[in-house]
Every structure is written in structure tokens, then in C-alpha cells.
Amino acid sequence: MRWRTRIERWEPGERFVDRQLAGPYRLWWHEHGFTDAGGGTRIDIRRAVVDPAWRRAQAGARAGMSVLHGVLPLLLVPALALAQAPLVDATGRTIPVPARVERVYTAGPPASVLLYAIAPAKLLGWTRALRPREAAFFDVRAAALPELGRLTGRGNTANVEVVLRARPDLIVDVGFVAGSYASLAERVQAQTGIPYALFDGRLEATPATLRTLGRLSGDAAAADALATWFEHELADIKARVARVPVAERPRVYYGRGPAGLQTGGRGSINVEVLELLGAENVAAEARAGLVTVSPEQVLLWNPAVILTTDPNFWARAWNDPLWRAVDAVAQRRLYLSPKLPFGWFDFPPGPNRLLGAWWAGQLLYPQAFADLDLRQKVVEFHRRFYHRAPSDAQLDALLGEPGVRPPQ
């Protein structure tokens, strides 16, 4: 039997990682550590991932027994006992699952929010350290987690060296699953030897992403409870929206940035809340993803409602002659989304957007959402996803910020 492996990581005196390049296994990956053994050195298997279709491999191993004189079973049996079944992520890639996952590096903010909800103790750090006003919504440990940077998306600040220093068992990203994101995941996994799973970040996919991430991290029960609750809330929102005649659904513009001129076209992950609520996105015909438009274009669209995440734009638009010519501003239907500890409508485009769906639902369809207690919904979401309920003072500040509610 022929068998060839490659040493992918080597830390003298500490550990090494090897991966099968050719041999009886479809997938074979080991991390070994060195320990003192009373005058000698012992090599242990710390982590091991092996293709669970191991009967084929066993046959190959038996065929090679005369050559290896019994050494191969001693090496492979511990790995087989530790390995879990590989998992297929949203890109269709087969991800080797570590036997134990205790340390997880999240490649972007949506992944951080989801992992923290499922298994807060396994999150190694935030992509950006929490600022004081954000940290106030979390416990002491979460508030003090370090900044590790982000591997993906706009303004990526991390690289493979940063990931290796964090010593994760697993790398996770949530968001787009095609093109450069999938190739980055494959490249980083090959360079580090660390499994890298990529999950669909769409709002509708959140329950499935929660469940798969829970299986991968070894926290399936917690993840399933979150997913079931999230499914119920999405269904409730859809049922409320279905009662609103299409002719009564407003034309809405979502304005990002201090000028309010960045928006999202149809299918953009940044305007999924509008799509969930069945509102007419005036920028739907713009290209998918984020796009910058002119003030004149917004004036031509003339939306009935404007939603924004930027307090500077919200404050400036009231005194800008061009914006004041837009019906939404003239009718005082320009609203500012809450943003603590994470944005409700966007920033990041994660499960936190469920808060934005409740908030915007009440603004767009006051009758359909009349019986919804937004304060209670915020408390429930925070308890489930952030593991800490906001205080009454925090709720008052969130919902009392100018622009969050209709003017009285």
C-alpha cells in the first residue's frame, strides 16, 4: 500500500500537523503534540479528522499490514474514534469536523453574532472590539473579548497569520457563499489545516444556518432552540404582512452613510428587511448589492418612507432643500434605525435584523403590527442571542432616540 502525507504546520517542540496527500483515506488530517515522557518524548494525537467511510480505508490498511507490521492500526484507530462525520457547508464543500470544538474564529461580524448566540464561550474574539456603548449590553467576558479583525467583506483586517495565532479549532463565516468567498475559505483551510465553514447569511436561511453551525460546534440543542424560535418569529411577521393589501404597501428608500446615498438593489442582503416586509424598494432596479446613487435619482424615485442607519444623515436631511423636496421628508417619514449593540436593519447583516423587521413593520404597517410589544420583543431577542436582557434605561435610550419612532 502506498501512503504519502505532507507536514503542513511545524512548531518545533510544540506540535505539527500532517495531511494525507495520497493513500487509502479520502480525508485524513492529524494534529500532533509533543510531551515529556521521562527521559524521552511522546507524540500524541491532539486532534484528528478522518473520512467516516472508513471500511474502505480499513481494507487498505489490512492490505498493508505485512509492510507496516501493525503500526498503521495503532496510528489510525485513535483518529477514527475521535472523528465526526464531515459536514457540507452552504458552498457544497465537505468540511472535516474536529472531534471537539472549543475555540472558533469568526471571519466576519454576522458569524460572530450567530456563534455567540449558540456558544458564547467558544467565540475567540470580535472582528472589532466592542465599544463602551456596545459592551454595556454584554457580560464582562464578552465585553472584554479581543479584536481579531475580519477575514472577509469590506475592510478586511485579518490574515492567515492572525488566524494561526488565535489557534482556533474551526473558522466560520456567514454571508455570501459564492465566488471569492468560497475560494477564500478553501484557500485559508488549505494554508492553515483548520476547517473553514461558510454559511448562507440570508435572513430566511438563518434557522438552517443556526442548526448546521450548532452541529459543527457541538451545540446542536442550543442551536435548534434558537432556530425554532427564529422560524416562529419570521412566520409571524409574514402572516402580519400578508394581511396588508399590496396597494397599501409603501415605496421605501434605504439610505446608508452620512450622505444617505448608498442603498441596496433587489436581492441585496442589506435590504432583506424590506423584502421580508413586502415593501416596495424604490432602488430595486439598481444592480444587486450596495450601490451609490445621486440625490436627483432619489428625488425622481420620490419614496414615501426613508429608513436610515446613519444619525448624521437623519439630522442633516431635515434642513437640506433637496431632501426636503422628497415626500418622505416632507411628510416626516424619515426614520432612524437603532444600532446598539448591533444595527437593527443592517450593520451587520445578521440575525439582529429580526429586530429591524419588528421595528420597521410597526412603522410601515401600524395596524398589522398594532398588538406587537416592541419592548418585549427586544428583551426576548437580547436574552436569546446576547444572553443578557437590556435594562429599562437601555430600552428607553434605544427606543427614545430621535428618529426611531414617529414624531408625536
Side-chain angles (χ1 to χ4, degrees), residues 229-230 232-237 240 344 351-352 354-359 362 369 371-386 388-390 395 398-399 405:
W229 177 81
F230 206 95
H232 175 271
E233 297 304 318
L234 285 178
D236 178 66
I237 291 169
R240 292 173 184 272
W344 284 18
N352 39 294
L354 187 65
L355 292 162
W358 291 322
W359 165 74
Q362 283 196 328
F369 286 78
D371 64 331
L372 185 141
D373 185 338
L374 186 57
R375 289 179 70 96
Q376 186 274 329
K377 289 292 188 184
V378 174
V379 169
E380 187 172 13
F381 183 92
H382 277 239
R383 280 178 175 161
R384 290 177 181 272
F385 280 81
Y386 304 150
R388 184 175 182 178
L395 280 173
L398 280 172
L399 300 177
R405 297 287 207 175

mmCIF file of all heavy atoms in Angstrom, residues 229-230 232-237 240 344 351-352 354-359 362 369 371-386 388-390 395 398-399 405:
data_model
loop_
_atom_site.group_PDB
_atom_site.id
_atom_site.type_symbol
_atom_site.label_atom_id
_atom_site.label_comp_id
_atom_site.label_asym_id
_atom_site.label_seq_id
_atom_site.Cartn_x
_atom_site.Cartn_y
_atom_site.Cartn_z
ATOM 1 N N TRP A 229 -37.300 29.103 17.444
ATOM 2 C CA TRP A 229 -37.872 30.403 17.835
ATOM 3 C C TRP A 229 -37.796 31.390 16.677
ATOM 4 O O TRP A 229 -38.764 32.105 16.393
ATOM 5 C CB TRP A 229 -37.125 30.944 19.051
ATOM 6 C CG TRP A 229 -37.601 32.300 19.476
ATOM 7 C CD1 TRP A 229 -38.703 32.595 20.222
ATOM 8 C CD2 TRP A 229 -36.981 33.557 19.155
ATOM 9 N NE1 TRP A 229 -38.819 33.955 20.394
ATOM 10 C CE2 TRP A 229 -37.783 34.571 19.746
ATOM 11 C CE3 TRP A 229 -35.852 33.918 18.440
ATOM 12 C CZ2 TRP A 229 -37.462 35.930 19.630
ATOM 13 C CZ3 TRP A 229 -35.534 35.268 18.322
ATOM 14 C CH2 TRP A 229 -36.335 36.251 18.921
ATOM 15 N N PHE A 230 -36.671 31.431 15.974
ATOM 16 C CA PHE A 230 -36.490 32.357 14.859
ATOM 17 C C PHE A 230 -37.493 32.055 13.749
ATOM 18 O O PHE A 230 -38.070 32.973 13.152
ATOM 19 C CB PHE A 230 -35.060 32.251 14.335
ATOM 20 C CG PHE A 230 -34.554 33.476 13.653
ATOM 21 C CD1 PHE A 230 -33.821 34.429 14.340
ATOM 22 C CD2 PHE A 230 -34.798 33.692 12.306
ATOM 23 C CE1 PHE A 230 -33.337 35.566 13.712
ATOM 24 C CE2 PHE A 230 -34.329 34.827 11.659
ATOM 25 C CZ PHE A 230 -33.593 35.767 12.365
ATOM 26 N N HIS A 232 -40.424 30.746 14.079
ATOM 27 C CA HIS A 232 -41.750 31.200 14.537
ATOM 28 C C HIS A 232 -41.903 32.701 14.336
ATOM 29 O O HIS A 232 -42.959 33.180 13.888
ATOM 30 C CB HIS A 232 -41.935 30.832 16.007
ATOM 31 C CG HIS A 232 -43.214 31.351 16.593
ATOM 32 N ND1 HIS A 232 -43.307 32.603 17.192
ATOM 33 C CD2 HIS A 232 -44.459 30.804 16.662
ATOM 34 C CE1 HIS A 232 -44.546 32.803 17.600
ATOM 35 N NE2 HIS A 232 -45.265 31.727 17.297
ATOM 36 N N GLU A 233 -40.856 33.458 14.658
ATOM 37 C CA GLU A 233 -40.931 34.916 14.532
ATOM 38 C C GLU A 233 -41.015 35.342 13.065
ATOM 39 O O GLU A 233 -41.761 36.257 12.720
ATOM 40 C CB GLU A 233 -39.738 35.571 15.213
ATOM 41 C CG GLU A 233 -39.668 35.322 16.710
ATOM 42 C CD GLU A 233 -40.937 35.760 17.437
ATOM 43 O OE1 GLU A 233 -41.467 36.845 17.113
ATOM 44 O OE2 GLU A 233 -41.407 35.013 18.315
ATOM 45 N N LEU A 234 -40.256 34.703 12.193
ATOM 46 C CA LEU A 234 -40.352 35.009 10.768
ATOM 47 C C LEU A 234 -41.746 34.711 10.240
ATOM 48 O O LEU A 234 -42.317 35.501 9.469
ATOM 49 C CB LEU A 234 -39.326 34.187 9.978
ATOM 50 C CG LEU A 234 -37.860 34.606 10.057
ATOM 51 C CD1 LEU A 234 -37.003 33.641 9.249
ATOM 52 C CD2 LEU A 234 -37.654 36.029 9.553
ATOM 53 N N ALA A 235 -42.316 33.582 10.655
ATOM 54 C CA ALA A 235 -43.658 33.213 10.200
ATOM 55 C C ALA A 235 -44.688 34.223 10.685
ATOM 56 O O ALA A 235 -45.628 34.573 9.948
ATOM 57 C CB ALA A 235 -44.005 31.814 10.691
ATOM 58 N N ASP A 236 -44.542 34.711 11.904
ATOM 59 C CA ASP A 236 -45.472 35.697 12.451
ATOM 60 C C ASP A 236 -45.405 37.002 11.651
ATOM 61 O O ASP A 236 -46.438 37.604 11.325
ATOM 62 C CB ASP A 236 -45.159 35.960 13.918
ATOM 63 C CG ASP A 236 -46.068 37.024 14.521
ATOM 64 O OD1 ASP A 236 -47.285 36.773 14.621
ATOM 65 O OD2 ASP A 236 -45.565 38.112 14.865
ATOM 66 N N ILE A 237 -44.192 37.438 11.329
ATOM 67 C CA ILE A 237 -44.027 38.670 10.539
ATOM 68 C C ILE A 237 -44.673 38.508 9.164
ATOM 69 O O ILE A 237 -45.399 39.388 8.683
ATOM 70 C CB ILE A 237 -42.537 39.029 10.410
ATOM 71 C CG1 ILE A 237 -41.990 39.469 11.772
ATOM 72 C CG2 ILE A 237 -42.317 40.119 9.368
ATOM 73 C CD1 ILE A 237 -40.486 39.586 11.824
ATOM 74 N N ARG A 240 -48.458 38.710 9.330
ATOM 75 C CA ARG A 240 -48.940 40.087 9.512
ATOM 76 C C ARG A 240 -48.880 40.851 8.185
ATOM 77 O O ARG A 240 -49.818 41.575 7.828
ATOM 78 C CB ARG A 240 -48.101 40.793 10.571
ATOM 79 C CG ARG A 240 -48.277 40.251 11.982
ATOM 80 C CD ARG A 240 -47.282 40.896 12.952
ATOM 81 N NE ARG A 240 -47.366 40.325 14.281
ATOM 82 C CZ ARG A 240 -48.188 40.752 15.241
ATOM 83 N NH1 ARG A 240 -49.008 41.771 14.990
ATOM 84 N NH2 ARG A 240 -48.197 40.193 16.428
ATOM 85 N N TRP A 344 -30.010 47.292 13.833
ATOM 86 C CA TRP A 344 -31.252 46.540 13.723
ATOM 87 C C TRP A 344 -31.604 46.249 12.261
ATOM 88 O O TRP A 344 -32.191 45.213 11.973
ATOM 89 C CB TRP A 344 -32.401 47.329 14.365
ATOM 90 C CG TRP A 344 -32.399 47.297 15.860
ATOM 91 C CD1 TRP A 344 -31.361 46.960 16.686
ATOM 92 C CD2 TRP A 344 -33.502 47.613 16.702
ATOM 93 N NE1 TRP A 344 -31.743 47.053 18.000
ATOM 94 C CE2 TRP A 344 -33.066 47.458 18.044
ATOM 95 C CE3 TRP A 344 -34.809 48.031 16.482
ATOM 96 C CZ2 TRP A 344 -33.889 47.692 19.130
ATOM 97 C CZ3 TRP A 344 -35.626 48.268 17.568
ATOM 98 C CH2 TRP A 344 -35.180 48.094 18.880
ATOM 99 N N PRO A 351 -28.542 37.957 12.259
ATOM 100 C CA PRO A 351 -29.867 37.698 12.852
ATOM 101 C C PRO A 351 -30.429 38.910 13.576
ATOM 102 O O PRO A 351 -31.637 38.971 13.826
ATOM 103 C CB PRO A 351 -29.593 36.542 13.822
ATOM 104 C CG PRO A 351 -28.139 36.671 14.163
ATOM 105 C CD PRO A 351 -27.487 37.156 12.904
ATOM 106 N N ASN A 352 -29.574 39.872 13.925
ATOM 107 C CA ASN A 352 -30.002 41.109 14.569
ATOM 108 C C ASN A 352 -31.028 41.864 13.731
ATOM 109 O O ASN A 352 -31.763 42.717 14.239
ATOM 110 C CB ASN A 352 -28.798 42.008 14.828
ATOM 111 C CG ASN A 352 -27.792 41.988 13.700
ATOM 112 O OD1 ASN A 352 -27.158 40.956 13.447
ATOM 113 N ND2 ASN A 352 -27.614 43.102 13.002
ATOM 114 N N LEU A 354 -33.714 40.789 12.657
ATOM 115 C CA LEU A 354 -35.078 40.471 13.080
ATOM 116 C C LEU A 354 -35.649 41.628 13.896
ATOM 117 O O LEU A 354 -36.839 41.950 13.798
ATOM 118 C CB LEU A 354 -35.076 39.180 13.902
ATOM 119 C CG LEU A 354 -36.447 38.625 14.283
ATOM 120 C CD1 LEU A 354 -37.223 38.192 13.039
ATOM 121 C CD2 LEU A 354 -36.290 37.432 15.235
ATOM 122 N N LEU A 355 -34.805 42.271 14.703
ATOM 123 C CA LEU A 355 -35.227 43.456 15.442
ATOM 124 C C LEU A 355 -35.698 44.542 14.480
ATOM 125 O O LEU A 355 -36.706 45.221 14.726
ATOM 126 C CB LEU A 355 -34.063 43.987 16.287
ATOM 127 C CG LEU A 355 -33.594 43.124 17.455
ATOM 128 C CD1 LEU A 355 -32.204 43.549 17.901
ATOM 129 C CD2 LEU A 355 -34.574 43.224 18.604
ATOM 130 N N GLY A 356 -34.979 44.718 13.383
ATOM 131 C CA GLY A 356 -35.348 45.712 12.398
ATOM 132 C C GLY A 356 -36.658 45.398 11.702
ATOM 133 O O GLY A 356 -37.413 46.309 11.341
ATOM 134 N N ALA A 357 -36.958 44.116 11.535
ATOM 135 C CA ALA A 357 -38.215 43.732 10.901
ATOM 136 C C ALA A 357 -39.393 44.098 11.798
ATOM 137 O O ALA A 357 -40.427 44.592 11.313
ATOM 138 C CB ALA A 357 -38.209 42.240 10.588
ATOM 139 N N TRP A 358 -39.262 43.864 13.092
ATOM 140 C CA TRP A 358 -40.338 44.264 14.017
ATOM 141 C C TRP A 358 -40.493 45.784 14.038
ATOM 142 O O TRP A 358 -41.597 46.311 13.962
ATOM 143 C CB TRP A 358 -40.034 43.779 15.426
ATOM 144 C CG TRP A 358 -40.095 42.306 15.626
ATOM 145 C CD1 TRP A 358 -40.986 41.427 15.065
ATOM 146 C CD2 TRP A 358 -39.239 41.528 16.460
ATOM 147 N NE1 TRP A 358 -40.732 40.155 15.503
ATOM 148 C CE2 TRP A 358 -39.667 40.181 16.362
ATOM 149 C CE3 TRP A 358 -38.159 41.822 17.291
ATOM 150 C CZ2 TRP A 358 -39.057 39.151 17.057
ATOM 151 C CZ3 TRP A 358 -37.542 40.797 17.991
ATOM 152 C CH2 TRP A 358 -37.985 39.475 17.875
ATOM 153 N N TRP A 359 -39.355 46.471 14.152
ATOM 154 C CA TRP A 359 -39.365 47.941 14.229
ATOM 155 C C TRP A 359 -39.959 48.554 12.964
ATOM 156 O O TRP A 359 -40.890 49.372 13.025
ATOM 157 C CB TRP A 359 -37.926 48.422 14.449
ATOM 158 C CG TRP A 359 -37.706 49.881 14.206
ATOM 159 C CD1 TRP A 359 -38.088 50.916 15.010
ATOM 160 C CD2 TRP A 359 -37.038 50.464 13.080
ATOM 161 N NE1 TRP A 359 -37.711 52.122 14.447
ATOM 162 C CE2 TRP A 359 -37.061 51.863 13.266
ATOM 163 C CE3 TRP A 359 -36.428 49.945 11.934
ATOM 164 C CZ2 TRP A 359 -36.491 52.748 12.335
ATOM 165 C CZ3 TRP A 359 -35.857 50.817 11.013
ATOM 166 C CH2 TRP A 359 -35.902 52.204 11.226
ATOM 167 N N GLN A 362 -43.788 47.932 12.361
ATOM 168 C CA GLN A 362 -44.693 48.844 13.055
ATOM 169 C C GLN A 362 -44.773 50.203 12.375
ATOM 170 O O GLN A 362 -45.827 50.839 12.359
ATOM 171 C CB GLN A 362 -44.250 49.013 14.510
ATOM 172 C CG GLN A 362 -44.605 47.841 15.406
ATOM 173 C CD GLN A 362 -44.500 48.187 16.883
ATOM 174 O OE1 GLN A 362 -43.672 48.996 17.296
ATOM 175 N NE2 GLN A 362 -45.364 47.581 17.685
ATOM 176 N N PHE A 369 -49.286 45.539 12.838
ATOM 177 C CA PHE A 369 -48.357 45.280 13.942
ATOM 178 C C PHE A 369 -48.797 45.987 15.234
ATOM 179 O O PHE A 369 -47.996 46.157 16.148
ATOM 180 C CB PHE A 369 -46.948 45.744 13.558
ATOM 181 C CG PHE A 369 -46.245 44.844 12.567
ATOM 182 C CD1 PHE A 369 -46.554 44.894 11.219
ATOM 183 C CD2 PHE A 369 -45.279 43.937 13.002
ATOM 184 C CE1 PHE A 369 -45.909 44.074 10.307
ATOM 185 C CE2 PHE A 369 -44.629 43.106 12.099
ATOM 186 C CZ PHE A 369 -44.942 43.169 10.744
ATOM 187 N N ASP A 371 -50.597 45.145 17.792
ATOM 188 C CA ASP A 371 -50.553 44.412 19.061
ATOM 189 C C ASP A 371 -49.152 43.911 19.406
ATOM 190 O O ASP A 371 -48.976 43.208 20.404
ATOM 191 C CB ASP A 371 -51.530 43.243 19.019
ATOM 192 C CG ASP A 371 -51.153 42.209 17.954
ATOM 193 O OD1 ASP A 371 -50.529 42.610 16.939
ATOM 194 O OD2 ASP A 371 -51.472 41.016 18.139
ATOM 195 N N LEU A 372 -48.171 44.239 18.595
ATOM 196 C CA LEU A 372 -46.810 43.772 18.858
ATOM 197 C C LEU A 372 -46.153 44.678 19.896
ATOM 198 O O LEU A 372 -46.091 45.899 19.719
ATOM 199 C CB LEU A 372 -45.997 43.755 17.564
ATOM 200 C CG LEU A 372 -44.577 43.165 17.665
ATOM 201 C CD1 LEU A 372 -44.255 42.346 16.426
ATOM 202 C CD2 LEU A 372 -43.536 44.271 17.826
ATOM 203 N N ASP A 373 -45.670 44.088 20.973
ATOM 204 C CA ASP A 373 -44.978 44.833 22.036
ATOM 205 C C ASP A 373 -43.489 44.860 21.692
ATOM 206 O O ASP A 373 -42.769 43.887 21.939
ATOM 207 C CB ASP A 373 -45.219 44.153 23.386
ATOM 208 C CG ASP A 373 -44.632 44.934 24.554
ATOM 209 O OD1 ASP A 373 -43.699 45.744 24.338
ATOM 210 O OD2 ASP A 373 -45.094 44.727 25.692
ATOM 211 N N LEU A 374 -43.046 45.957 21.111
ATOM 212 C CA LEU A 374 -41.656 46.023 20.638
ATOM 213 C C LEU A 374 -40.667 45.915 21.790
ATOM 214 O O LEU A 374 -39.628 45.260 21.656
ATOM 215 C CB LEU A 374 -41.430 47.324 19.866
ATOM 216 C CG LEU A 374 -40.069 47.466 19.179
ATOM 217 C CD1 LEU A 374 -39.814 46.316 18.207
ATOM 218 C CD2 LEU A 374 -39.971 48.800 18.438
ATOM 219 N N ARG A 375 -40.973 46.522 22.911
ATOM 220 C CA ARG A 375 -40.058 46.418 24.064
ATOM 221 C C ARG A 375 -39.885 44.958 24.480
ATOM 222 O O ARG A 375 -38.771 44.502 24.736
ATOM 223 C CB ARG A 375 -40.585 47.235 25.248
ATOM 224 C CG ARG A 375 -40.500 48.736 25.068
ATOM 225 C CD ARG A 375 -41.062 49.458 26.282
ATOM 226 N NE ARG A 375 -40.221 49.325 27.457
ATOM 227 C CZ ARG A 375 -39.316 50.217 27.854
ATOM 228 N NH1 ARG A 375 -39.122 51.323 27.131
ATOM 229 N NH2 ARG A 375 -38.607 50.011 28.949
ATOM 230 N N GLN A 376 -40.984 44.230 24.546
ATOM 231 C CA GLN A 376 -40.905 42.825 24.949
ATOM 232 C C GLN A 376 -40.125 42.008 23.927
ATOM 233 O O GLN A 376 -39.337 41.121 24.290
ATOM 234 C CB GLN A 376 -42.323 42.268 25.121
ATOM 235 C CG GLN A 376 -42.376 40.845 25.673
ATOM 236 C CD GLN A 376 -42.271 39.779 24.602
ATOM 237 O OE1 GLN A 376 -42.715 39.985 23.461
ATOM 238 N NE2 GLN A 376 -41.693 38.640 24.943
ATOM 239 N N LYS A 377 -40.309 42.305 22.638
ATOM 240 C CA LYS A 377 -39.578 41.584 21.596
ATOM 241 C C LYS A 377 -38.073 41.855 21.698
ATOM 242 O O LYS A 377 -37.256 40.944 21.518
ATOM 243 C CB LYS A 377 -40.079 41.998 20.214
ATOM 244 C CG LYS A 377 -41.469 41.502 19.875
ATOM 245 C CD LYS A 377 -41.494 39.991 19.711
ATOM 246 C CE LYS A 377 -42.828 39.509 19.186
ATOM 247 N NZ LYS A 377 -42.887 38.017 19.105
ATOM 248 N N VAL A 378 -37.715 43.090 21.982
ATOM 249 C CA VAL A 378 -36.295 43.421 22.119
ATOM 250 C C VAL A 378 -35.685 42.661 23.288
ATOM 251 O O VAL A 378 -34.584 42.099 23.189
ATOM 252 C CB VAL A 378 -36.110 44.941 22.289
ATOM 253 C CG1 VAL A 378 -34.641 45.271 22.580
ATOM 254 C CG2 VAL A 378 -36.577 45.684 21.047
ATOM 255 N N VAL A 379 -36.387 42.626 24.408
ATOM 256 C CA VAL A 379 -35.893 41.905 25.587
ATOM 257 C C VAL A 379 -35.701 40.425 25.260
ATOM 258 O O VAL A 379 -34.677 39.825 25.602
ATOM 259 C CB VAL A 379 -36.862 42.076 26.772
ATOM 260 C CG1 VAL A 379 -36.505 41.107 27.903
ATOM 261 C CG2 VAL A 379 -36.824 43.507 27.283
ATOM 262 N N GLU A 380 -36.686 39.841 24.585
ATOM 263 C CA GLU A 380 -36.600 38.416 24.269
ATOM 264 C C GLU A 380 -35.432 38.122 23.338
ATOM 265 O O GLU A 380 -34.695 37.150 23.527
ATOM 266 C CB GLU A 380 -37.910 37.939 23.650
ATOM 267 C CG GLU A 380 -37.965 36.429 23.445
ATOM 268 C CD GLU A 380 -39.340 35.944 23.018
ATOM 269 O OE1 GLU A 380 -40.192 36.776 22.640
ATOM 270 O OE2 GLU A 380 -39.564 34.720 23.052
ATOM 271 N N PHE A 381 -35.261 38.939 22.313
ATOM 272 C CA PHE A 381 -34.147 38.727 21.392
ATOM 273 C C PHE A 381 -32.817 38.836 22.131
ATOM 274 O O PHE A 381 -31.911 38.003 21.934
ATOM 275 C CB PHE A 381 -34.199 39.732 20.245
ATOM 276 C CG PHE A 381 -33.118 39.514 19.216
ATOM 277 C CD1 PHE A 381 -33.349 38.709 18.111
ATOM 278 C CD2 PHE A 381 -31.860 40.085 19.360
ATOM 279 C CE1 PHE A 381 -32.347 38.480 17.173
ATOM 280 C CE2 PHE A 381 -30.859 39.867 18.431
ATOM 281 C CZ PHE A 381 -31.100 39.062 17.329
ATOM 282 N N HIS A 382 -32.664 39.855 22.942
ATOM 283 C CA HIS A 382 -31.409 40.038 23.670
ATOM 284 C C HIS A 382 -31.128 38.853 24.588
ATOM 285 O O HIS A 382 -29.970 38.410 24.699
ATOM 286 C CB HIS A 382 -31.460 41.335 24.472
ATOM 287 C CG HIS A 382 -31.115 42.555 23.677
ATOM 288 N ND1 HIS A 382 -30.078 43.401 23.999
ATOM 289 C CD2 HIS A 382 -31.672 43.067 22.551
ATOM 290 C CE1 HIS A 382 -30.005 44.378 23.115
ATOM 291 N NE2 HIS A 382 -30.979 44.209 22.228
ATOM 292 N N ARG A 383 -32.133 38.353 25.250
ATOM 293 C CA ARG A 383 -31.926 37.205 26.145
ATOM 294 C C ARG A 383 -31.447 35.985 25.362
ATOM 295 O O ARG A 383 -30.555 35.257 25.815
ATOM 296 C CB ARG A 383 -33.221 36.873 26.876
ATOM 297 C CG ARG A 383 -33.513 37.778 28.068
ATOM 298 C CD ARG A 383 -34.836 37.422 28.697
ATOM 299 N NE ARG A 383 -35.090 38.182 29.914
ATOM 300 C CZ ARG A 383 -36.278 38.347 30.449
ATOM 301 N NH1 ARG A 383 -37.350 37.785 29.874
ATOM 302 N NH2 ARG A 383 -36.422 39.047 31.544
ATOM 303 N N ARG A 384 -32.017 35.767 24.211
ATOM 304 C CA ARG A 384 -31.697 34.576 23.437
ATOM 305 C C ARG A 384 -30.370 34.697 22.695
ATOM 306 O O ARG A 384 -29.585 33.746 22.654
ATOM 307 C CB ARG A 384 -32.819 34.278 22.439
ATOM 308 C CG ARG A 384 -34.108 33.800 23.080
ATOM 309 C CD ARG A 384 -35.202 33.598 22.041
ATOM 310 N NE ARG A 384 -36.451 33.165 22.624
ATOM 311 C CZ ARG A 384 -36.786 31.900 22.850
ATOM 312 N NH1 ARG A 384 -35.952 30.928 22.513
ATOM 313 N NH2 ARG A 384 -37.947 31.585 23.392
ATOM 314 N N PHE A 385 -30.106 35.843 22.097
ATOM 315 C CA PHE A 385 -28.924 35.982 21.237
ATOM 316 C C PHE A 385 -27.741 36.649 21.932
ATOM 317 O O PHE A 385 -26.590 36.364 21.583
ATOM 318 C CB PHE A 385 -29.291 36.744 19.959
ATOM 319 C CG PHE A 385 -29.966 35.882 18.936
ATOM 320 C CD1 PHE A 385 -31.324 35.600 19.047
ATOM 321 C CD2 PHE A 385 -29.257 35.320 17.887
ATOM 322 C CE1 PHE A 385 -31.957 34.786 18.115
ATOM 323 C CE2 PHE A 385 -29.877 34.510 16.957
ATOM 324 C CZ PHE A 385 -31.226 34.239 17.072
ATOM 325 N N TYR A 386 -27.995 37.521 22.891
ATOM 326 C CA TYR A 386 -26.898 38.212 23.578
ATOM 327 C C TYR A 386 -26.743 37.742 25.023
ATOM 328 O O TYR A 386 -25.851 38.194 25.739
ATOM 329 C CB TYR A 386 -27.118 39.730 23.548
ATOM 330 C CG TYR A 386 -27.288 40.316 22.169
ATOM 331 C CD1 TYR A 386 -28.074 41.446 21.965
ATOM 332 C CD2 TYR A 386 -26.687 39.726 21.054
ATOM 333 C CE1 TYR A 386 -28.242 41.987 20.696
ATOM 334 C CE2 TYR A 386 -26.854 40.248 19.783
ATOM 335 C CZ TYR A 386 -27.635 41.385 19.608
ATOM 336 O OH TYR A 386 -27.801 41.915 18.350
ATOM 337 N N ARG A 388 -28.305 38.345 27.668
ATOM 338 C CA ARG A 388 -28.475 39.346 28.717
ATOM 339 C C ARG A 388 -29.609 40.283 28.305
ATOM 340 O O ARG A 388 -29.576 40.855 27.215
ATOM 341 C CB ARG A 388 -27.187 40.133 28.913
ATOM 342 C CG ARG A 388 -27.240 41.127 30.062
ATOM 343 C CD ARG A 388 -25.881 41.776 30.250
ATOM 344 N NE ARG A 388 -25.876 42.695 31.364
ATOM 345 C CZ ARG A 388 -24.818 43.379 31.776
ATOM 346 N NH1 ARG A 388 -23.663 43.231 31.136
ATOM 347 N NH2 ARG A 388 -24.893 44.204 32.791
ATOM 348 N N ALA A 389 -30.584 40.450 29.187
ATOM 349 C CA ALA A 389 -31.700 41.345 28.881
ATOM 350 C C ALA A 389 -31.283 42.792 29.113
ATOM 351 O O ALA A 389 -30.585 43.095 30.075
ATOM 352 C CB ALA A 389 -32.906 41.014 29.760
ATOM 353 N N PRO A 390 -31.711 43.707 28.237
ATOM 354 C CA PRO A 390 -31.382 45.117 28.460
ATOM 355 C C PRO A 390 -32.168 45.670 29.647
ATOM 356 O O PRO A 390 -33.273 45.216 29.950
ATOM 357 C CB PRO A 390 -31.815 45.778 27.149
ATOM 358 C CG PRO A 390 -32.872 44.884 26.602
ATOM 359 C CD PRO A 390 -32.493 43.495 27.012
ATOM 360 N N LEU A 395 -33.458 50.209 27.264
ATOM 361 C CA LEU A 395 -34.587 50.158 26.343
ATOM 362 C C LEU A 395 -35.114 51.564 26.053
ATOM 363 O O LEU A 395 -35.417 51.901 24.899
ATOM 364 C CB LEU A 395 -35.709 49.301 26.931
ATOM 365 C CG LEU A 395 -35.556 47.787 26.793
ATOM 366 C CD1 LEU A 395 -36.652 47.082 27.584
ATOM 367 C CD2 LEU A 395 -35.626 47.373 25.332
ATOM 368 N N LEU A 398 -32.720 53.186 23.635
ATOM 369 C CA LEU A 398 -32.807 52.632 22.288
ATOM 370 C C LEU A 398 -34.032 53.150 21.539
ATOM 371 O O LEU A 398 -33.940 53.599 20.391
ATOM 372 C CB LEU A 398 -32.865 51.104 22.363
ATOM 373 C CG LEU A 398 -31.578 50.325 22.574
ATOM 374 C CD1 LEU A 398 -31.883 48.862 22.804
ATOM 375 C CD2 LEU A 398 -30.652 50.488 21.381
ATOM 376 N N LEU A 399 -35.172 53.074 22.195
ATOM 377 C CA LEU A 399 -36.428 53.408 21.532
ATOM 378 C C LEU A 399 -36.766 54.890 21.611
ATOM 379 O O LEU A 399 -37.654 55.357 20.892
ATOM 380 C CB LEU A 399 -37.563 52.569 22.126
ATOM 381 C CG LEU A 399 -37.381 51.050 21.982
ATOM 382 C CD1 LEU A 399 -38.525 50.305 22.672
ATOM 383 C CD2 LEU A 399 -37.309 50.655 20.518
ATOM 384 N N ARG A 405 -38.862 56.565 16.473
ATOM 385 C CA ARG A 405 -40.304 56.492 16.493
ATOM 386 C C ARG A 405 -40.914 57.636 15.688
ATOM 387 O O ARG A 405 -40.291 58.678 15.501
ATOM 388 C CB ARG A 405 -40.815 56.569 17.934
ATOM 389 C CG ARG A 405 -40.366 55.421 18.824
ATOM 390 C CD ARG A 405 -41.087 54.148 18.485
ATOM 391 N NE ARG A 405 -41.157 53.270 19.666
ATOM 392 C CZ ARG A 405 -41.816 52.135 19.698
ATOM 393 N NH1 ARG A 405 -42.482 51.741 18.637
ATOM 394 N NH2 ARG A 405 -41.825 51.393 20.778
#
